[in-house]
Amino acid sequence: MARLAIEGLCKGWDFPVIDDLSLDVEEGEFLVIVGPSGIGKTTLLRLVAGLETPDRGRILVGDRDVTRVPPYRRDVAMTFESYALYPHMTVAANIASPLKARRLPEDEIRRRVGEVTRLLRIDMLLERKPGEISGGQKQRTALGRTLVADPQVFLLDEPISHLDARIRHELRSQFHTLEDLRRVATVYVTHDYAEALSLGDRIAVMGNGGRLVQVGNPRELFEQPATLFVAEHLGQPTINAIEAELVDVDDRLEAHAGSLRLPIAPAHRAALTKVQQRQVTIGLRPQHLRPSDELPQGVALEGRIDIFEALGSTGVMIVDAGGVRLTALTSPERTFDHGADVTLAWNPEALYFFSPVDGRNILL
Amino acid sequence: MADQARPDDRWRHVRVLFLAFLGLWLLFTLFPLYFMIITALKTTAETNLTVPTFWPELFAFGNFAAVFAEATNFDALIDSFVIATINTLLSLFLGTLAGYAFARFPRQAGGENLAFWILSNRMFPPVAILVPMFFLFDSTPWGTDSIWSLIILYLVFNLPLATWLMMVFFRDAPRELEEAAYLDGWTPLRAFLRITLPLVLPGMISVAMLCWIFAWNEYLFANLFVGTDVRTYTIVIPTFTHGSQTLWNLQMAFSLIAMIPPVTLFILLRRYMVRGLSLGVVKG
């Protein structure tokens, strides 16, 4: 068991896929790398697995520098997005593959394959071929093949994104409970932010240009997003981003967007005065924008309902407020009419301020 | 029943035409075989009638034994078999390795152009190199009249085909499966043998069939190269033509015997053959 350290990793010169990326994953930590499709998450995993060679930087497993070690001597296990099960072998043979490679005795192999398949509840499929089992079962088989190897580092590439919702949920809860995954350093890649918030001990958000935008525990990332990118991607529904200008009105500070006037909380005002920026992108989470009777202590704003959706556990409305489209949440049992006027309330303390140039959180 | 048939009625003429075409096609392809078989069973006198008969007057099964009156005729079948088999194994071995290199390391292996150039070696008319090749092999220690000269020479034709087809099959085999095997702890060679090779096996078998049949049936080079120490069956067939007459019945009987090995192979391996030739070799 060991920790994984990535130091200044680079891949690709002209168009960097991974650019000067450093990351530590502690022994027993479950780190989720999250980011939109095609951003280099899979490349990062392939670099750690040894399937690609970095142009610069080091990869350490424990104290051992594995940067130039071929994948079959790295003691790193990885699941592929496509599962990559061997189509001509049975489920049992697929899972036994890493043990066979280590030349373990037959009965030891049988015992460990039995253990892992019982844990993943695929022990009744041992003699089937991958073509004869469902997507969820294929995923479990692929997972079994990595678990059985007892490696130093686990790499999981979008392990459950292609499954239907119910099985995805079931497997997601299994990731919480699999002891083996929780004992060693695990890197889990996904584009699904709910998955990231649910599973990660820590989350690393990957952005354009092969860099990590922010690394932290789920709470931190949600409450103190380093950039608009992070704020937009963590949290459902998406945060309201309002292009606004800061204007001094008498002794107060207001944000003007269209005909919308948003008073700035005194705590924010002091900080904003210091950075001297007038054009900002204001972030307001839909959770903090509600019908005024649900948030009596908030500041009111008037608007007209464009769309209302009752989603069961919550209601979502999209409101036109003085030319700005805002998303607000309501409690689930209420209904609203399209086109009706509504008074919303929000809490000035809950605003985020991002630079319209680079999306940085100005107050962080 | 009657109204169920109605939608088909519109297509009845088309279907009749289609069946008629198929019938003609069958006649066209099967008649030569049929005529070969009955000729092989005719007496020599009957084969020389001006008006051919389409059913033998009496069955001269002895023809099949008579072709081996010349003992070396049987040896020729053996020589052909040995040449075709060794050539096929060599083509398959080298073609698989080369095809894998072109599929997995196209840049290091010389790229698409080199791969295509290798295939293009199969496109020139073989007769163009007939004489140069004769002198080339004549200058080797074993000369032209040896099984090895033909085994090596047929690589000129079979290796490009084997390389190209194996390349296509390997491209179809997902690279990720090999990578998964590396992560399981298998070295590249063992991953290749354990994972990739079984996936392209149907393809390999069809390649083997194609190579084997080419080498088995080759006449042009065999006719010039060998004849004394080594004889292939293809150069035995013309020997049934003598100065004044052709022993059609013996020639056909010998040809039928020569058809047995490839037909047997094809029947045994046709399951793989069809799968391999349709290129979808690794559909899981």
Side-chain angles (χ1 to χ4, degrees):
Chain A
M1 305 301 142
R3 69 194 268 276
L4 168 72
I6 300 170
E7 296 174 359
L9 207 62
C10 293
K11 178 74 185 173
W13 291 115
D14 299 335
F15 302 99
V17 185
I18 302 291
D19 188 11
D20 196 18
L21 188 148
S22 298
L23 186 65
D24 285 325
V25 187
E26 295 303 325
E27 183 181 322
E29 186 179 26
F30 198 103
L31 178 98
V32 178
I33 297 183
V34 67
S37 304
I39 209 97
K41 306 186 295 290
T42 299
T43 307
L44 179 61
L45 284 199
R46 292 173 60 85
L47 284 162
V48 174
L51 298 174
E52 313 254 354
T53 331
D55 294 321
R56 211 177 332 140
R58 296 203 305 161
I59 297 163
L60 292 106
V61 175
D63 298 325
R64 179 166 163 241
D65 184 340
V66 296
T67 317
R68 302 284 153 193
V69 175
Y72 44 91
R73 285 200 214 104
R74 269 196 196 193
D75 211 7
V76 166
M78 173 169 168
T79 65
F80 291 77
E81 197 175 348
S82 64
Y83 313 141
L85 297 177
Y86 313 129
H88 57 299
M89 296 185 186
T90 61
V91 166
N94 265 281
I95 295 175
S97 173
L99 304 177
K100 281 235 169 67
R102 267 151 240 207
R103 298 173 195 278
L104 293 188
E106 254 337 289
D107 49 335
E108 165 85 0
I109 292 178
R110 211 166 312 116
R111 190 181 60 75
R112 281 172 69 173
V113 169
E115 245 172 53
V116 164
T117 49
R118 267 193 301 282
L119 185 70
L120 294 168
R121 282 179 280 122
I122 46 173
D123 46 327
M124 61 297 185
L125 305 172
L126 290 181
E127 294 313 314
R128 303 256 196 107
K129 297 261 175 81
E132 303 161 348
I133 59 179
S134 73
Q137 292 165 340
K138 280 183 197 168
Q139 182 50 62
R140 282 170 220 251
T141 306
L143 197 60
R145 190 172 62 187
T146 52
L147 285 176
V148 84
D150 215 357
Q152 307 257 21
V153 174
F154 274 116
L155 307 173
L156 307 172
D157 189 6
E158 304 261 8
I160 57 179
S161 357
H162 301 296
L163 304 175
D164 62 53
R166 200 178 53 81
I167 297 171
R168 199 160 68 219
H169 197 80
E170 193 186 321
L171 277 176
R172 192 159 104 185
S173 52
Q174 209 154 36
F175 282 119
H176 280 293
T177 50
L178 281 176
E179 284 284 317
D180 291 330
L181 283 185
R182 295 291 167 180
R183 260 202 336 257
V184 304
T186 302
V187 182
Y188 182 108
V189 156
T190 178
H191 66 267
D192 181 332
Y193 294 83
E195 223 171 283
L197 289 172
S198 145
L199 289 172
D201 294 330
R202 273 196 310 156
I203 298 177
V205 180
M206 202 157 169
N208 288 312
R211 290 162 178 276
L212 294 181
V213 182
Q214 191 174 7
V215 184
N217 67 45
R219 191 110 238 118
E220 260 167 50
L221 262 67
F222 188 76
E223 287 176 356
Q224 298 167 333
T227 68
L228 182 59
F229 182 89
V230 175
E232 278 182 327
H233 284 93
L234 294 178
Q236 273 292 330
T238 309
I239 193 169
N240 291 299
I242 312 159
E243 303 288 334
E245 187 178 1
L246 298 178
V247 179
D248 289 303
V249 179
D250 305 327
D251 57 342
R252 290 174 296 116
L253 187 64
E254 282 186 354
H256 291 185
S259 59
L260 197 62
R261 301 283 178 270
L262 303 173
I264 305 296
H268 289 157
R269 185 187 169 187
L272 284 169
T273 316
K274 228 179 283 166
V275 296
Q276 293 229 322
Q277 197 157 350
R278 303 312 269 181
Q279 296 293 334
V280 295
T281 303
I282 288 177
L284 174 58
R285 291 209 185 268
Q287 290 82 337
H288 299 133
L289 182 64
R290 293 177 163 273
S292 54
D293 49 339
E294 290 180 27
L295 197 68
Q297 74 279 30
V299 179
L301 66 83
E302 304 291 329
R304 218 188 61 245
I305 299 173
D306 276 349
I307 299 170
F308 175 77
E309 291 176 314
L311 297 182
S313 59
T314 178
V316 179
M317 62 167 83
I318 296 179
V319 175
D320 184 328
V324 179
R325 276 169 79 89
L326 297 173
T327 309
L329 290 190
T330 73
S331 53
E333 68 281 2
R334 307 179 66 176
T335 52
F336 292 84
D337 293 326
H338 296 208
D341 290 322
V342 67
T343 306
L344 297 175
W346 56 283
N347 175 6
E349 308 282 340
L351 289 192
Y352 298 106
F353 299 88
F354 301 102
S355 154
V357 184
D358 55 9
R360 227 168 18 81
N361 187 338
I362 297 171
L363 299 187
L364 214 59
Chain B
M1 215 45 205
D3 26 15
Q4 269 177 348
R6 196 162 295 148
D8 292 339
D9 278 359
R10 247 187 304 163
W11 295 102
R12 234 185 105 187
H13 301 291
V14 180
R15 187 175 300 183
V16 167
L17 266 175
F18 183 65
L19 287 176
F21 173 76
L22 274 187
L24 268 175
W25 181 253
L26 272 180
L27 204 64
F28 183 72
T29 50
L30 289 184
F31 182 76
L33 190 65
Y34 166 75
F35 205 69
M36 218 177 139
I37 294 169
I38 58 157
T39 307
L41 293 169
K42 285 175 184 175
T43 58
T44 308
E46 195 181 349
T47 59
N48 288 333
L49 294 177
T50 1
V51 180
T53 56
F54 291 92
W55 192 252
E57 280 165 11
L58 83 209
F59 290 87
F61 290 104
N63 291 344
F64 288 97
V67 294
F68 295 117
E70 194 84 57
T72 54
N73 287 358
F74 187 75
D75 298 340
L77 287 169
I78 301 290
D79 281 348
S80 278
F81 189 86
V82 169
I83 291 169
T85 304
I86 297 180
N87 172 267
T88 298
L89 292 177
L90 276 176
S91 302
L92 213 54
F93 179 70
L94 297 173
T96 299
L97 295 183
Y100 184 77
F102 279 119
R104 288 290 190 264
F105 312 100
R107 237 167 352 111
Q108 294 88 328
E112 185 79 4
N113 290 339
L114 184 64
F116 185 74
W117 176 79
I118 286 178
L119 181 68
S120 73
N121 278 328
R122 179 118 189 175
M123 295 176 184
F124 62 79
V127 72
I129 58 164
L130 183 59
V131 175
M133 280 297 169
F134 179 83
F135 285 111
L136 189 66
F137 278 90
D138 199 36
S139 66
T140 58
W142 61 82
T144 54
D145 194 9
S146 137
I147 60 166
W148 293 106
S149 67
L150 289 185
I151 287 170
I152 305 286
L153 179 76
Y154 292 165
L155 285 178
V156 173
F157 306 98
N158 276 341
L159 191 50
L161 184 78
T163 304
W164 184 269
L165 286 179
M166 289 316 297
M167 174 185 79
V168 174
F169 294 138
F170 281 124
R171 277 187 190 159
D172 267 8
R175 192 183 200 136
E176 274 192 355
L177 296 185
E178 262 166 70
E179 292 177 339
Y182 298 162
L183 290 168
D184 286 350
W186 300 99
T187 60
L189 178 65
R190 290 171 79 203
F192 173 78
L193 294 175
R194 258 178 71 87
I195 307 298
T196 313
L197 213 54
L199 290 179
V200 299
L201 193 65
M204 278 179 85
I205 289 172
S206 7
V207 171
M209 281 298 293
L210 293 174
C211 291
W212 196 88
I213 287 172
F214 172 85
W216 176 256
N217 284 338
E218 208 283 330
Y219 171 71
L220 181 66
F221 285 88
N223 186 40
L224 186 69
F225 274 44
V226 297
T228 314
D229 296 340
V230 174
R231 296 204 309 161
T232 67
Y233 90 85
T234 51
I235 66 173
V236 168
I237 287 178
T239 62
F240 295 104
T241 302
H242 301 295
S244 55
Q245 69 160 350
T246 298
L247 297 170
W248 289 112
N249 48 354
L250 296 191
Q251 199 166 62
M252 290 306 129
F254 190 70
S255 301
L256 277 178
I257 291 166
M259 277 173 65
I260 292 170
V263 169
T264 313
L265 271 181
F266 189 88
I267 289 171
L268 287 177
L269 301 174
R270 73 176 182 279
R271 206 164 58 88
Y272 297 100
M273 191 76 179
V274 175
R275 267 172 73 196
L277 287 180
S278 62
L279 296 192
V281 276
V282 288
K283 276 276 166 62

